[in-house]
């Protein structure tokens, strides 16, 4: 059935959700619940969020953190950061505190002008075009008077209109290159409205307007942030060697684009997090920053480092076109909160704050890279995410955190340690105990969420039932497992090891099967029935063996060993043990 639809935007919010869940998801009711979990309970606030973009169905949460201890031009700040990546906020805070004792960050706005262009085609003589522009330039300014009036009162407006010849790049291609000052507004709508007014006034029978649009490349909307101190005050063992390696790391990013991209990504970790928190446009900031990093013709580092006369100096120059009034900054409650937290900065001040955040993050990354390595600190910060992913208890977290105080954290090492701890106290489920099985499974509901995997509660129960039907010879798989594979796999059933979370025989599909029963109760009843058939089958066929799709031919005792592991695995999936 086709999933192409007309008129989707005209649906109500609920109609959009109904259509999406019915056409793209196997369990619409569960998906709807997930969507609604992220709605704000305040209806007016939710409506505000719904109106930010089109076809809204829910909200997507991102962590909102705060990096304290920043001192910027002798003023103290706690900087809001919205980002999903662990260690960024902690690293920025740590570096901010470090530099706060050494004079803090020194910042300076080098320029605030922004650019817009009217792109057009002209096949006539260039001299005639130049005369036309010069004669009409006053009229072009006048065409925007109603738009620029309020901006001019705040000290902004159009600074210049220049004709640019691009015919050496593209036949008949010219621009009107317009420079703007937008003060505390990011100014995208203002600039585009001015450009369209200019284009309408400028066009004639010989001039074909292609488009009028602002540019996110703003090399003259530039800010500088710097830290410096005596090399001996860098607070590390062998500071001379550290300073030299640090500078070498920056120099490598200047000449090696593969390194420069990752180097600058670290800078943007700090900057984008503040851009998001303040309701600014991080895509525009990213595009402008990376274009500026390529201005020499080769992609290069946005930060710089020198070592002169025993002084370590580290700085960044980056274009940042920001706003503190208008747009989302005036609408989103948390964007307004962020700006108030930052003591209601002007756009110029916000440029300096963000540049400091980017420099702090870059310093943290380079310090880690040139000393212990980036993964040492990053993975320690990531440890909690790994533990939460595997539903570690508080006792397990405490034990593992203590273990990794002196060990290198990696995903595999954490999982291995967690499994080691859990092996010591595995609570195996007796799948033959009907009352126990019913007691555990009756705690489930259609809303129960798995700790891992894609199955919902009823799909899990029906999956156990299906595998039990293989064991009781009701379902004929027709599968054959070679003696070589059996010899390699079957000994696992004699161990105390659990089935891993990724265990899935090849005969099972990647997605959960469709439900067979109308309710959880019916599914539980069927599972109990299939277990009884399993017992009865082997009572009547004492020496029978049935092929397991992964472990090969199993007799009664080995099927019991597998079922204990299998039931335990899925009961843990839904936190029933």
């Amino acid at each position: 059935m086709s999933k192409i639809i007309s008129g989707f935007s005209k649906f109500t919010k609920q109609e959009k959700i109904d259509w999406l869940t019915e056409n793209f998801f196997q369990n619409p009711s569960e998906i709807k619940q997930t969507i609604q979990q992220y709605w704000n309970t305040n209806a007016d606030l939710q409506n505000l969020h719904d109106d930010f973009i089109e076809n809204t169905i829910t909200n997507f949460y991102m962590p909102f953190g705060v990096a304290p201890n920043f001192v910027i031009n002798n003023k103290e700040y706690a900087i809001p950061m919205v980002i999903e990546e662990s260690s960024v906020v902690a690293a920025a805070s740590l570096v901010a505190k470090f530099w706060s004792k050494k004079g803090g960050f020194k910042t300076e706005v080098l320029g605030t002008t922004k650019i817009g262009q009217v792109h057009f085609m002209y096949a006539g003589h260039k001299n005639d075009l130049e005369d036309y522009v010069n004669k009409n330039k006053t009229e072009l300014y006048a065409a925007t008077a109603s738009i620029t009036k309020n901006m001019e009162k705040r000290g902004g407006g159009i600074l210049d209109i220049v004709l640019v010849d691009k015919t050496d790049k593209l036949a008949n291609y010219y621009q009107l290159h317009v420079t703007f000052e937008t003060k505390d507004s990011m100014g995208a709508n203002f600039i585009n409205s001015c450009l369209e007014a200019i284009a309408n006034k400028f066009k004639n029978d010989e001039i074909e307007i292609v488009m009028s649009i602002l540019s996110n490349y703003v090399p003259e909307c530039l800010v500088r942030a710097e830290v410096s101190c005596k090399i001996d005050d860098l607070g590390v063992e062998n500071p001379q060697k550290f300073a030299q390696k640090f500078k070498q790391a920056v120099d490598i990013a200047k000449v090696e684009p593969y390194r420069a991209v990752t180097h600058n990504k670290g800078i943007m970790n700090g900057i984008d997090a503040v851009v998001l928190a303040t309701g600014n446009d991080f895509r525009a900031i990213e595009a402008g920053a990376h274009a500026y990093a390529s201005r020499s013709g080769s992609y290069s580092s946005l930060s710089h480092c020198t070592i002169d006369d025993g002084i370590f100096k580290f700085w960044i120059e980056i274009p940042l076109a920001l706003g503190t009034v208008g747009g989302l900054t005036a609408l989103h409650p948390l964007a307004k909160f962020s700006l108030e937290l930052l003591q209601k900065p002007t756009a110029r001040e916000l440029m300096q704050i963000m540049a400091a955040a980017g420099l702090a993050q870059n310093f943290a990354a380079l310090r880690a890279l040139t000393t212990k390595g980036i993964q040492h600190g990053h993975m320690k910060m990531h440890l909690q995410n790994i533990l939460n992913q595997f539903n570690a208890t508080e006792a397990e977290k405490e034990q593992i955190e203590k273990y990794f105080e002196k060990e290198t954290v990696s995903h595999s090492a954490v999982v291995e340690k967690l499994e080691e701890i859990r092996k010591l106290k595995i609570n195996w489920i007796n799948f033959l105990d009907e009352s126990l099985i019913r007691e555990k499974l009756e705690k489930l509901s259609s809303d129960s969420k798995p700790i891992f995997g894609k199955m919902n509660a009823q799909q899990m129960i029906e999956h156990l039932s299906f595998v039990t039907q293989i064991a009781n010879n009701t379902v004929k798989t027709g599968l054959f497992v070679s003696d070589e594979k059996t010899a390699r796999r079957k000994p696992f059933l004699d161990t105390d090891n659990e089935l891993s979370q990724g265990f899935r025989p090849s005969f099972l599909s990647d997605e959960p099967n469709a439900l067979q029963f109308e309710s959880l109760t019916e599914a539980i009843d069927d599972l109990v029935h299939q277990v009884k058939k399993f017992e009865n089958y082997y009572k009547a066929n004492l020496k029978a063996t049935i092929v397991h799709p992964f472990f090969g031919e199993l007799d009664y005792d080995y099927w019991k060993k597998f079922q204990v592991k299998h039931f335990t695995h899925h009961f843990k999936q839904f936190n029933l043990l």
Side-chain angles (χ1 to χ4, degrees):
M1 187 173 74
S2 175
K3 292 181 174 62
I4 304 301
I5 186 173
S6 298
F8 182 74
S9 63
K10 294 181 174 61
F11 284 6
T12 65
K13 184 176 178 179
Q14 191 58 55
E15 287 171 339
K16 290 184 180 81
I17 292 169
D18 290 342
W19 184 82
L20 287 169
T21 55
E22 289 166 9
N23 281 278
F24 291 92
F25 297 92
Q26 291 187 348
N27 193 332
S29 60
E30 180 182 340
I31 296 301
K32 287 178 184 178
Q33 183 184 23
T34 299
I35 289 170
Q36 292 172 6
Q37 280 178 339
Y38 289 88
W39 289 355
N40 199 293
T41 53
N42 182 317
D44 291 337
L45 187 56
Q46 184 57 55
N47 288 335
L48 174 68
H49 282 264
D50 285 348
D51 289 339
F52 286 159
I53 62 169
E54 308 77 33
N55 295 340
T56 308
I57 61 169
T58 193
N59 307 311
F60 188 95
Y61 290 175
M62 293 274 279
F64 186 115
V66 175
N69 302 319
F70 273 84
V71 175
I72 304 171
N73 294 340
N74 300 317
K75 187 174 180 179
E76 296 173 352
Y77 291 91
I79 297 182
M81 305 182 83
V82 174
I83 191 168
E84 87 296 343
E85 184 174 331
S86 61
S87 83
V88 170
V89 178
S93 304
L94 193 65
V95 167
K97 188 173 183 180
F98 173 80
W99 285 109
S100 70
K101 299 173 183 177
K102 297 170 177 60
F105 295 83
K106 304 302 179 185
T107 62
E108 177 187 6
V109 173
L110 304 178
T112 58
T113 57
K114 298 164 187 173
I115 302 300
Q117 296 165 322
V118 177
H119 304 268
F120 66 94
M121 297 297 181
Y122 175 75
H125 294 294
K126 181 180 177 180
N127 290 341
D128 293 340
L129 180 61
E130 289 174 335
D131 290 342
Y132 178 74
V133 171
N134 291 330
K135 288 178 182 178
N136 288 278
K137 186 172 283 192
T138 300
E139 295 299 319
L140 296 181
Y141 281 104
T144 67
S146 63
I147 304 170
T148 60
K149 180 173 58 176
N150 290 333
M151 184 65 76
E152 287 171 353
K153 288 179 182 178
R154 302 200 300 270
I158 299 173
L159 302 180
D160 200 5
I161 302 174
V162 177
L163 175 66
V164 178
D165 182 351
K166 290 282 185 176
T167 55
D168 61 327
K169 304 289 185 183
L170 181 65
N172 303 328
Y173 171 39
Y174 292 85
Q175 302 169 354
L176 289 181
H177 192 83
V178 188
T179 309
F180 295 86
E181 170 60 63
T182 62
K183 304 307 286 183
D184 287 336
S185 169
M186 193 277 170
N189 290 330
F190 168 77
I191 292 172
N192 287 335
S193 295
C194 288
L195 292 172
E196 289 182 3
I198 290 170
N200 286 332
K201 188 67 178 177
F202 182 68
K203 67 182 178 181
N204 61 30
D205 291 341
E206 296 182 61
I207 293 172
E208 179 189 357
I209 304 296
V210 178
M211 57 185 170
S212 308
I213 186 70
L214 90 164
S215 173
N216 291 125
Y217 183 42
V218 284
E220 295 177 1
C221 189
L222 200 64
V223 60
R224 175 188 173 101
E226 176 186 305
V227 289
S228 63
C229 69
K230 294 179 180 178
I231 293 174
D232 289 340
D233 292 340
L234 283 169
V236 295
E237 292 183 17
N238 198 341
Q240 293 288 338
K241 182 178 180 181
F242 166 74
Q244 192 62 43
K245 284 186 68 178
F246 190 103
K247 182 181 182 302
Q248 288 170 343
V250 176
D251 290 344
I252 288 169
K254 284 179 176 293
V255 300
E256 173 49 68
Y258 280 93
R259 170 60 199 144
V261 171
T262 308
H263 177 95
N264 290 342
K265 185 267 183 185
I267 293 171
M268 302 315 292
N269 274 347
I271 290 174
D272 282 348
V274 190
V275 174
L276 279 168
T278 56
N280 275 276
D281 186 348
F282 77 91
R283 285 92 46 201
I285 296 299
E286 283 275 351
H290 295 304
Y292 189 74
S294 303
R295 67 193 184 281
S296 67
S298 177
Y299 190 89
S300 184
S301 168
L302 288 165
S303 61
H304 314 273
C305 182
T306 58
I307 302 171
D308 292 315
D309 298 325
I311 301 297
F312 171 88
K313 184 188 293 185
F314 182 50
W315 75 97
I316 186 174
E317 289 184 5
I318 187 168
L320 295 173
L322 303 169
T324 57
V325 297
L328 205 62
T329 59
L331 291 174
H332 199 299
L334 284 177
K336 291 190 282 187
F337 168 88
S338 295
L339 291 171
E340 187 167 352
L341 175 63
L342 291 171
Q343 304 164 68
K344 299 182 178 179
T346 63
R348 291 173 66 92
E349 290 169 334
L350 187 58
M351 289 170 69
Q352 295 171 79
I353 291 166
M354 287 189 189
L359 189 66
Q361 190 59 35
N362 195 210
F363 182 86
L366 291 175
R367 183 169 64 178
L369 280 167
T370 55
T371 53
K372 294 181 178 180
I374 197 72
Q375 288 302 93
H376 179 81
H378 180 77
M379 291 307 293
K380 277 191 179 294
M381 291 300 302
H382 194 49
L383 177 60
Q384 287 300 320
N385 289 344
I386 301 171
L387 294 175
N388 289 334
Q389 178 186 347
F390 288 90
N391 202 44
T393 65
E394 289 303 316
E396 289 171 338
K397 287 180 180 180
E398 184 177 346
Q399 190 173 346
I400 288 174
E401 286 167 2
K402 186 174 182 180
Y403 174 80
F404 281 103
E405 283 178 0
K406 297 181 180 179
E407 299 291 332
T408 300
V409 176
S410 71
H411 188 279
S412 59
V414 174
V415 173
E416 183 179 341
K417 186 63 180 177
L418 185 59
E419 289 179 346
E420 178 186 318
I421 292 170
R422 288 176 171 177
K423 283 176 186 176
L424 301 176
K425 51 180 182 181
I426 298 173
N427 184 18
W428 298 108
I429 190 74
N430 180 4
F431 76 103
L432 297 175
D433 186 337
E434 179 181 345
S435 60
L436 176 64
I437 295 299
R438 286 189 180 276
E439 176 194 342
K440 297 289 186 183
L441 293 180
E442 285 168 2
K443 294 177 182 178
L444 297 172
S445 70
S446 58
D447 299 331
S448 297
K449 300 292 183 184
I451 296 169
F452 58 87
K454 299 179 181 180
M455 289 189 287
N456 62 35
Q458 187 170 333
Q459 286 169 332
M460 179 273 288
I461 295 167
E462 292 186 9
H463 167 71
L464 287 175
S465 181
F466 173 73
V467 175
T468 304
Q469 288 177 62
I470 297 174
N472 65 28
N473 207 31
T474 301
V475 169
K476 311 288 186 181
T477 64
L479 294 173
F480 170 77
V481 182
S482 69
D483 291 341
E484 178 187 353
K485 289 181 178 179
T486 297
R488 189 169 66 248
R489 296 170 177 175
K490 191 173 177 180
F492 169 81
L493 298 177
D494 290 318
T495 71
D496 289 329
N497 296 330
E498 295 182 84
L499 294 175
S500 66
Q501 290 189 11
F503 177 76
R504 183 181 63 81
S506 58
F507 80 101
L508 293 177
S509 62
D510 290 334
E511 299 298 325
N513 291 329
L515 295 177
Q516 301 296 311
F517 295 96
E518 294 293 327
S519 67
L520 275 166
T521 301
E522 290 180 62
I524 293 170
D525 288 341
D526 179 66
L527 176 59
V528 170
H529 172 67
Q530 298 302 336
V531 170
K532 289 178 180 176
K533 285 185 67 175
F534 168 77
E535 283 285 87
N536 292 334
Y537 175 79
Y538 279 102
K539 284 179 183 177
N541 301 274
L542 296 176
K543 296 183 179 181
T545 59
I546 295 173
V547 175
H548 184 283
F550 184 82
F551 292 104
E553 284 197 12
L554 303 181
D555 61 14
Y556 173 67
D557 288 333
Y558 271 104
W559 265 110
K560 279 202 304 182
K561 290 178 180 180
F562 169 76
Q563 288 285 71
V564 167
K565 291 181 185 291
H566 195 219
F567 272 67
T568 301
H569 174 77
H570 286 293
F571 275 45
K572 283 191 172 184
Q573 182 183 15
F574 283 85
N575 204 26
L576 297 176
L577 294 178

